[in-house]
Amino acid sequence: MRLSRSARVVAAAAATALALTACGSGSGGDSGSDKITLSVSLFGNFGYQELYKQYEKDHPNIKIQERTADYNAHHRDLATHLATNAGAADIEAVDTGFIAQMREVGKQFTDLGTERESEYLPWKWQASLTKDGQQIGYGTDVGGLAICYRRDLFQQAGLPADRDQVSAAWASGWDKYIELGQQFTKKAPKGTAFFDGGGALYNAVIGQAPVGFYNPDNTVVVSTNPEVRKAWDLVVKAIQANLSAKLVESSPEWNNGFAKGQFATIACPAWMMAKIKDQSKAYAGKWDVAAVPGGGGNWGGSYLTVPKQGKHVDEAKKLAAWLTAPDQQAKVFTTQGLLPSIPALYDKPEVGALKDPFFNNAPVGKIFTTAAKELKPQYQGPRAGDIQTAIRDGLLRVEQGKQSSDQSWTQTVSDVERLAK
């Protein structure tokens, strides 16, 4: 396997950094009554705040500090911390789009062992396993796919708002989703588009393909896999129909878009529900959840890792294991909507039968656990997250009128080829 450029940089820098003092974010000793501070670095809302309080109560010598960055900055910073052997948190979250990149430098992470393998979805466990059998991450959640939508905006546009009717309207695929969007825009409230942005929609569409950006041998197939260009063309079709609010997921403008009602639908893996709740508090009960066009697919899901450079590796391992244990994964789903990666939870009433008042009492437990059971995971190669970003940026150029679809596609393929070197 040919290492990506970022992996080579990380490996080379790590080799020259052995003389540096390992620099975790905690303080204090590892034993006795010394107060220990454990740092947890995340992107977005993982729903851990109440869990931290419980853990600190049960472990009086532990203090937990969470730091949060946006998706791309978080993973970029983690790569830098690994390269310099300094600055990483005691626990670092890693998205599924970046876990393969971290596997390539697995020696910089603590081996979490094999004791919990039987708990997890097999593919979730395998995705964070290095070639030599080192487990670098405990799975936190899986994505699944649905569409979250604003019932009130659908009603204002004269469309059916019942979730079963909405699901049926686009059940056959994304072309029907676009058709419904065109109907929506004819009578939509002023300033409201049908969906948030091309990048997010693309992630959902390509997430349904059997093969995405990589073959299992880590060959990048963006320019040769017809599903990649097919998904691009479909999203461009939606953009050219003026259905996009032209927002970039997790940007400040995207956050404001929720509050201002700038879009009526959003591609919605389970973890997106937490973002919607955070940014759209004024519209509780007006959101709902429908089946994803065409059915199936996955977008996202994360892991908790423990970098070796931390000062409190043993305590960090214990906290990471506890945060991702079945009871805690169930609590996070019931409060925030992050779908557990432990399938034994799916048939428990508090998970599988969960209804969420924020989403008009949608049966989110049934919707997402059914999706997880049927999910056929797509292989994620070392630079999958960066490739996803390159495609998002390419679609944004089309949305902003800076390039035609063909021009932007050509540049995007070139950008991806540079990433793969």
Side-chain angles (χ1 to χ4, degrees), residues 109-118 120 125 128-129 133-138 317:
F109 294 94
T110 303
D111 186 355
L112 302 177
T114 60
E115 292 81 3
R116 297 183 60 193
E117 180 175 3
S118 63
Y120 279 95
W125 181 265
S128 52
L129 202 64
Q134 177 184 346
Q135 181 52 262
I136 67 168
Y138 288 133
K317 283 176 63 177

Side-chain angles (χ1 to χ4, degrees), residues 163 285 287-288 354-364:
R163 70 178 67 95
W287 282 92
D288 212 323
L354 180 67
K355 295 184 178 181
D356 195 325
F358 188 98
F359 291 94
N360 191 40
N361 286 318
V364 295

Side-chain angles (χ1 to χ4, degrees), residues 41-288:
S41 182
L42 309 175
F43 50 95
N45 182 0
F46 278 56
Y48 287 162
Q49 292 302 321
E50 293 303 314
L51 297 183
Y52 295 152
K53 294 177 183 177
Q54 182 62 52
Y55 196 85
E56 290 173 341
K57 180 180 178 181
D58 295 340
H59 302 80
N61 67 319
I62 299 292
K63 173 70 175 176
I64 302 170
Q65 291 183 345
E66 180 182 289
R67 62 196 197 205
T68 304
D70 69 54
Y71 177 84
N72 287 313
H74 170 86
H75 291 96
R76 182 178 62 246
D77 291 346
L78 176 56
T80 300
H81 296 324
L82 295 174
T84 60
N85 198 35
D90 295 297
I91 296 174
E92 291 275 357
V94 177
D95 179 74
T96 188
F98 286 90
I99 196 65
Q101 182 176 337
M102 299 307 161
R103 284 199 317 257
E104 290 191 340
V105 291
K107 295 300 182 184
Q108 299 213 41
F109 294 94
T110 303
D111 186 355
L112 302 177
T114 60
E115 292 81 3
R116 297 183 60 193
E117 180 175 3
S118 63
E119 296 180 18
Y120 279 95
L121 291 163
W123 62 265
K124 183 73 175 180
W125 181 265
Q126 288 294 323
S128 52
L129 202 64
T130 66
K131 281 189 172 183
D132 60 0
Q134 177 184 346
Q135 181 52 262
I136 67 168
Y138 288 133
T140 59
D141 65 307
V142 295
L145 272 177
I147 297 289
C148 292
Y149 68 100
R150 284 274 300 275
R151 291 172 53 87
D152 57 325
L153 296 177
F154 270 47
Q155 290 169 338
Q156 290 175 46
L159 296 179
D162 175 79
R163 70 178 67 95
D164 292 334
Q165 291 179 300
V166 173
S167 298
W170 57 48
S172 63
W174 290 102
D175 285 328
K176 290 295 184 181
Y177 172 83
I178 293 174
E179 287 181 18
L180 193 67
Q182 290 171 317
Q183 294 177 40
F184 175 84
T185 56
K186 291 177 182 178
K187 297 182 180 180
K190 186 177 180 180
T192 300
F194 191 56
F195 64 89
D196 54 333
L201 182 60
Y202 185 91
N203 290 340
V205 178
I206 195 62
Q208 293 178 319
V211 177
F213 306 143
Y214 280 88
N215 279 334
D217 64 358
N218 280 340
T219 302
V220 176
V221 294
V222 168
S223 63
T224 57
N225 179 7
E227 295 291 341
V228 176
R229 181 61 194 260
K230 180 181 176 183
W232 173 280
D233 290 339
L234 187 141
V235 174
V236 168
K237 177 182 177 182
I239 292 170
Q240 293 175 341
N242 295 316
L243 305 186
S244 175
K246 306 176 184 179
L247 300 172
V248 175
E249 186 218 336
S250 296
S251 67
E253 295 78 12
W254 182 80
N255 292 338
N256 290 334
F258 283 102
K260 295 179 180 179
Q262 289 183 304
F263 48 89
T265 72
I266 185 169
C268 200
W271 50 263
M272 187 66 77
M273 293 192 293
K275 290 179 177 283
I276 294 172
K277 289 178 179 180
D278 285 345
Q279 303 299 333
S280 195
K281 293 181 175 65
Y283 300 106
K286 295 182 179 180
W287 282 92
D288 212 323

